[in-house]
Amino acid sequence: MLNPRRISAFRALWRAVARGRRPGAPGLGERARALPRMVGASLGGRYRGLSRGRLALFLVGLVYLISPVDVVPELLFNVFGLGDDAVVALWLAGGFLVETERYLGWKRDPTGQLGSAD
C-alpha cells in the first residue's frame, strides 16, 4: 500500500523527470558532471541555491542507502524492507534532478542572480 509520503516522492520525481525532458534541458551526463562543481561552489559560498543543510540531507540519504546496517531489514522483511529504500532513492533522484537543473541554470545566467536569491 502506498502511503502519502511515497506518493509525494513519486510525484516529485515525475515532475522533475518531465521538466528534464523539455527541449534544451540538460541531459543526465551533463547533470552528473555538474554535481561535483555544484557541491564545491555551494561549500565555497559561490552558489547559494543549495544550502549546506540540504546538502547534508542528501549526504545522509546517500549514506542510508549504501549503509550495510540497512541490509538487515531487507533480509528480514524481504521486499517490504525495500520500501524505505525506494522512498529515499526517489527523493534523492528528484533532488538530484531539481538541484542540478537549478545550478546549471544559475551557471548559464549571465547576471548570476539565480543562485544568490534566498
Side-chain angles (χ1 to χ4, degrees), residues 16-41:
V17 168
R19 279 194 314 257
R21 298 184 70 122
R22 291 185 317 232
L28 190 58
E30 184 179 357
R31 291 170 189 269
R33 287 187 300 273
L35 187 61
R37 294 190 316 260
M38 178 181 69
V39 170

Side-chain angles (χ1 to χ4, degrees), residues 15-117:
R15 281 192 303 266
V17 168
R19 279 194 314 257
R21 298 184 70 122
R22 291 185 317 232
L28 190 58
E30 184 179 357
R31 291 170 189 269
R33 287 187 300 273
L35 187 61
R37 294 190 316 260
M38 178 181 69
V39 170
S42 177
L43 292 175
R46 295 181 305 280
Y47 175 61
R48 297 184 185 184
L50 179 63
S51 70
R52 289 180 185 219
R54 185 148 166 92
L55 192 57
L57 283 174
F58 287 146
L59 182 62
V60 167
L62 188 60
V63 168
Y64 178 79
L65 283 179
I66 62 174
S67 170
V69 173
D70 190 43
V71 171
V72 174
E74 278 78 21
L75 293 175
L76 295 176
F77 301 114
N78 207 2
V79 174
F80 299 109
L82 295 175
D84 60 333
D85 290 347
V87 171
V88 172
L90 285 171
W91 178 77
L92 282 172
F96 167 77
L97 292 173
V98 168
E99 294 299 339
T100 54
E101 182 173 350
R102 185 181 305 160
Y103 173 75
L104 290 169
W106 174 76
K107 290 294 285 181
R108 283 190 286 268
D109 182 33
T111 62
Q113 294 300 309
L114 291 176
S116 61

